[in-house]
PDB file of all heavy atoms in Angstrom:
ATOM      1  N   TYR A 477      17.154  24.473 -94.620  1.00 93.00           N
ATOM      2  CA  TYR A 477      16.159  24.861 -93.655  1.00 93.00           C
ATOM      3  C   TYR A 477      15.849  26.422 -93.737  1.00 93.00           C
ATOM      4  O   TYR A 477      14.704  26.819 -93.616  1.00 93.00           O
ATOM      5  CB  TYR A 477      16.542  24.539 -92.250  1.00 93.00           C
ATOM      6  CG  TYR A 477      16.131  23.131 -91.799  1.00 93.00           C
ATOM      7  CD1 TYR A 477      17.121  22.206 -91.405  1.00 93.00           C
ATOM      8  CD2 TYR A 477      14.875  22.720 -91.876  1.00 93.00           C
ATOM      9  CE1 TYR A 477      16.739  20.891 -91.061  1.00 93.00           C
ATOM     10  CE2 TYR A 477      14.469  21.420 -91.480  1.00 93.00           C
ATOM     11  CZ  TYR A 477      15.429  20.544 -91.066  1.00 93.00           C
ATOM     12  OH  TYR A 477      15.075  19.238 -90.689  1.00 93.00           O
ATOM     13  N   LEU A 478      16.888  27.124 -93.910  1.00 92.00           N
ATOM     14  CA  LEU A 478      16.673  28.631 -93.970  1.00 92.00           C
ATOM     15  C   LEU A 478      15.801  28.998 -95.205  1.00 92.00           C
ATOM     16  O   LEU A 478      15.030  29.934 -95.141  1.00 92.00           O
ATOM     17  CB  LEU A 478      18.027  29.298 -94.064  1.00 92.00           C
ATOM     18  CG  LEU A 478      18.896  29.351 -92.811  1.00 92.00           C
ATOM     19  CD1 LEU A 478      20.276  29.972 -93.081  1.00 92.00           C
ATOM     20  CD2 LEU A 478      18.270  30.180 -91.699  1.00 92.00           C
ATOM     21  N   LYS A 479      16.035  28.292 -96.266  1.00 89.00           N
ATOM     22  CA  LYS A 479      15.354  28.685 -97.499  1.00 89.00           C
ATOM     23  C   LYS A 479      14.082  27.841 -97.787  1.00 89.00           C
ATOM     24  O   LYS A 479      13.443  28.069 -98.780  1.00 89.00           O
ATOM     25  CB  LYS A 479      16.343  28.443 -98.725  1.00 89.00           C
ATOM     26  CG  LYS A 479      17.536  29.286 -98.564  1.00 89.00           C
ATOM     27  CD  LYS A 479      18.343  29.406 -99.880  1.00 89.00           C
ATOM     28  CE  LYS A 479      19.593  30.218 -99.763  1.00 89.00           C
ATOM     29  NZ  LYS A 479      19.335  31.583 -99.157  1.00 89.00           N
ATOM     30  N   SER A 480      13.676  26.892 -96.859  1.00 86.00           N
ATOM     31  CA  SER A 480      12.431  26.201 -97.003  1.00 86.00           C
ATOM     32  C   SER A 480      11.292  27.194 -97.057  1.00 86.00           C
ATOM     33  O   SER A 480      11.188  28.226 -96.308  1.00 86.00           O
ATOM     34  CB  SER A 480      12.306  25.168 -95.929  1.00 86.00           C
ATOM     35  OG  SER A 480      12.350  25.783 -94.675  1.00 86.00           O
ATOM     36  N   GLY A 481      10.299  26.910 -97.863  1.00 78.00           N
ATOM     37  CA  GLY A 481       9.177  27.829 -98.072  1.00 78.00           C
ATOM     38  C   GLY A 481       8.253  27.941 -96.876  1.00 78.00           C
ATOM     39  O   GLY A 481       8.230  27.160 -95.961  1.00 78.00           O
ATOM     40  N   ILE A 482       7.352  28.932 -96.927  1.00 80.00           N
ATOM     41  CA  ILE A 482       6.318  29.137 -95.976  1.00 80.00           C
ATOM     42  C   ILE A 482       4.955  28.928 -96.608  1.00 80.00           C
ATOM     43  O   ILE A 482       4.599  29.558 -97.678  1.00 80.00           O
ATOM     44  CB  ILE A 482       6.363  30.585 -95.331  1.00 80.00           C
ATOM     45  CG1 ILE A 482       7.697  30.785 -94.651  1.00 80.00           C
ATOM     46  CG2 ILE A 482       5.236  30.815 -94.406  1.00 80.00           C
ATOM     47  CD1 ILE A 482       7.812  32.178 -94.059  1.00 80.00           C
ATOM     48  N   MET A 483       4.161  28.024 -96.056  1.00 79.00           N
ATOM     49  CA  MET A 483       2.870  27.664 -96.638  1.00 79.00           C
ATOM     50  C   MET A 483       1.811  28.639 -95.974  1.00 79.00           C
ATOM     51  O   MET A 483       1.662  28.598 -94.792  1.00 79.00           O
ATOM     52  CB  MET A 483       2.507  26.216 -96.414  1.00 79.00           C
ATOM     53  CG  MET A 483       1.150  25.849 -97.115  1.00 79.00           C
ATOM     54  SD  MET A 483       0.814  24.073 -97.047  1.00 79.00           S
ATOM     55  CE  MET A 483       1.962  23.526 -98.334  1.00 79.00           C
ATOM     56  N   ASP A 484       1.072  29.318 -96.768  1.00 77.00           N
ATOM     57  CA  ASP A 484       0.043  30.182 -96.338  1.00 77.00           C
ATOM     58  C   ASP A 484      -1.217  30.005 -97.239  1.00 77.00           C
ATOM     59  O   ASP A 484      -1.146  30.262 -98.455  1.00 77.00           O
ATOM     60  CB  ASP A 484       0.514  31.680 -96.368  1.00 77.00           C
ATOM     61  CG  ASP A 484      -0.552  32.667 -95.792  1.00 77.00           C
ATOM     62  OD1 ASP A 484      -1.414  32.170 -95.076  1.00 77.00           O
ATOM     63  OD2 ASP A 484      -0.446  33.814 -96.164  1.00 77.00           O
ATOM     64  N   ASN A 485      -2.292  29.505 -96.614  1.00 72.00           N
ATOM     65  CA  ASN A 485      -3.542  29.215 -97.370  1.00 72.00           C
ATOM     66  C   ASN A 485      -3.307  28.316 -98.592  1.00 72.00           C
ATOM     67  O   ASN A 485      -3.810  28.536 -99.641  1.00 72.00           O
ATOM     68  CB  ASN A 485      -4.116  30.503 -97.810  1.00 72.00           C
ATOM     69  CG  ASN A 485      -4.627  31.344 -96.630  1.00 72.00           C
ATOM     70  OD1 ASN A 485      -5.133  30.854 -95.653  1.00 72.00           O
ATOM     71  ND2 ASN A 485      -4.534  32.691 -96.784  1.00 72.00           N
ATOM     72  N   GLY A 486      -2.421  27.349 -98.348  1.00 71.00           N
ATOM     73  CA  GLY A 486      -2.273  26.265 -99.388  1.00 71.00           C
ATOM     74  C   GLY A 486      -1.172  26.730-100.394  1.00 71.00           C
ATOM     75  O   GLY A 486      -0.768  25.858-101.213  1.00 71.00           O
ATOM     76  N   LEU A 487      -0.683  27.946-100.362  1.00 73.00           N
ATOM     77  CA  LEU A 487       0.370  28.367-101.301  1.00 73.00           C
ATOM     78  C   LEU A 487       1.695  28.471-100.555  1.00 73.00           C
ATOM     79  O   LEU A 487       1.779  28.972 -99.494  1.00 73.00           O
ATOM     80  CB  LEU A 487      -0.037  29.684-101.952  1.00 73.00           C
ATOM     81  CG  LEU A 487      -1.314  29.702-102.793  1.00 73.00           C
ATOM     82  CD1 LEU A 487      -1.640  31.135-103.176  1.00 73.00           C
ATOM     83  CD2 LEU A 487      -1.282  28.742-103.927  1.00 73.00           C
ATOM     84  N   VAL A 488       2.771  28.104-101.304  1.00 75.00           N
ATOM     85  CA  VAL A 488       4.079  28.078-100.643  1.00 75.00           C
ATOM     86  C   VAL A 488       4.896  29.288-101.113  1.00 75.00           C
ATOM     87  O   VAL A 488       5.059  29.494-102.362  1.00 75.00           O
ATOM     88  CB  VAL A 488       4.894  26.828-100.965  1.00 75.00           C
ATOM     89  CG1 VAL A 488       6.350  26.880-100.365  1.00 75.00           C
ATOM     90  CG2 VAL A 488       4.196  25.580-100.391  1.00 75.00           C
ATOM     91  N   GLU A 489       5.310  30.157-100.218  1.00 73.00           N
ATOM     92  CA  GLU A 489       6.136  31.301-100.582  1.00 73.00           C
ATOM     93  C   GLU A 489       7.563  30.991-100.284  1.00 73.00           C
ATOM     94  O   GLU A 489       7.882  30.428 -99.186  1.00 73.00           O
ATOM     95  CB  GLU A 489       5.696  32.531 -99.776  1.00 73.00           C
ATOM     96  CG  GLU A 489       4.238  32.858 -99.829  1.00 73.00           C
ATOM     97  CD  GLU A 489       3.834  33.874 -98.776  1.00 73.00           C
ATOM     98  OE1 GLU A 489       4.723  34.395 -98.091  1.00 73.00           O
ATOM     99  OE2 GLU A 489       2.622  34.222 -98.637  1.00 73.00           O
ATOM    100  N   GLN A 490       8.449  31.295-101.216  1.00 76.00           N
ATOM    101  CA  GLN A 490       9.889  31.046-100.932  1.00 76.00           C
ATOM    102  C   GLN A 490      10.416  32.108-100.060  1.00 76.00           C
ATOM    103  O   GLN A 490      10.077  33.292-100.160  1.00 76.00           O
ATOM    104  CB  GLN A 490      10.664  31.058-102.291  1.00 76.00           C
ATOM    105  CG  GLN A 490      10.308  29.826-103.163  1.00 76.00           C
ATOM    106  CD  GLN A 490      10.534  28.479-102.441  1.00 76.00           C
ATOM    107  OE1 GLN A 490      11.584  28.271-101.808  1.00 76.00           O
ATOM    108  NE2 GLN A 490       9.467  27.617-102.475  1.00 76.00           N
ATOM    109  N   ARG A 491      11.368  31.822 -99.256  1.00 74.00           N
ATOM    110  CA  ARG A 491      11.930  32.719 -98.257  1.00 74.00           C
ATOM    111  C   ARG A 491      13.381  33.059 -98.616  1.00 74.00           C
ATOM    112  O   ARG A 491      14.161  32.155 -98.951  1.00 74.00           O
ATOM    113  CB  ARG A 491      11.906  32.132 -96.877  1.00 74.00           C
ATOM    114  CG  ARG A 491      12.257  33.091 -95.818  1.00 74.00           C
ATOM    115  CD  ARG A 491      11.995  32.591 -94.388  1.00 74.00           C
ATOM    116  NE  ARG A 491      12.736  31.418 -94.064  1.00 74.00           N
ATOM    117  CZ  ARG A 491      12.155  30.277 -93.745  1.00 74.00           C
ATOM    118  NH1 ARG A 491      10.851  30.116 -93.818  1.00 74.00           N
ATOM    119  NH2 ARG A 491      12.914  29.172 -93.459  1.00 74.00           N
ATOM    120  N   THR A 492      13.701  34.359 -98.721  1.00 74.00           N
ATOM    121  CA  THR A 492      15.015  34.785 -99.136  1.00 74.00           C
ATOM    122  C   THR A 492      15.831  35.319 -98.017  1.00 74.00           C
ATOM    123  O   THR A 492      16.994  35.640 -98.126  1.00 74.00           O
ATOM    124  CB  THR A 492      14.965  35.834-100.317  1.00 74.00           C
ATOM    125  OG1 THR A 492      14.190  36.899 -99.841  1.00 74.00           O
ATOM    126  CG2 THR A 492      14.320  35.165-101.513  1.00 74.00           C
ATOM    127  N   ALA A 493      15.105  35.619 -96.800  1.00 83.00           N
ATOM    128  CA  ALA A 493      15.885  36.147 -95.632  1.00 83.00           C
ATOM    129  C   ALA A 493      14.999  35.699 -94.465  1.00 83.00           C
ATOM    130  O   ALA A 493      13.918  35.249 -94.522  1.00 83.00           O
ATOM    131  CB  ALA A 493      15.893  37.685 -95.755  1.00 83.00           C
TER     132      ALA A 493
END
Side-chain angles (χ1 to χ4, degrees):
Y477 273 122
L478 288 174
K479 299 193 182 308
S480 58
I482 298 179
M483 181 173 288
D484 185 19
N485 294 324
L487 299 176
V488 177
E489 307 170 4
Q490 292 305 310
R491 190 168 61 240
T492 58

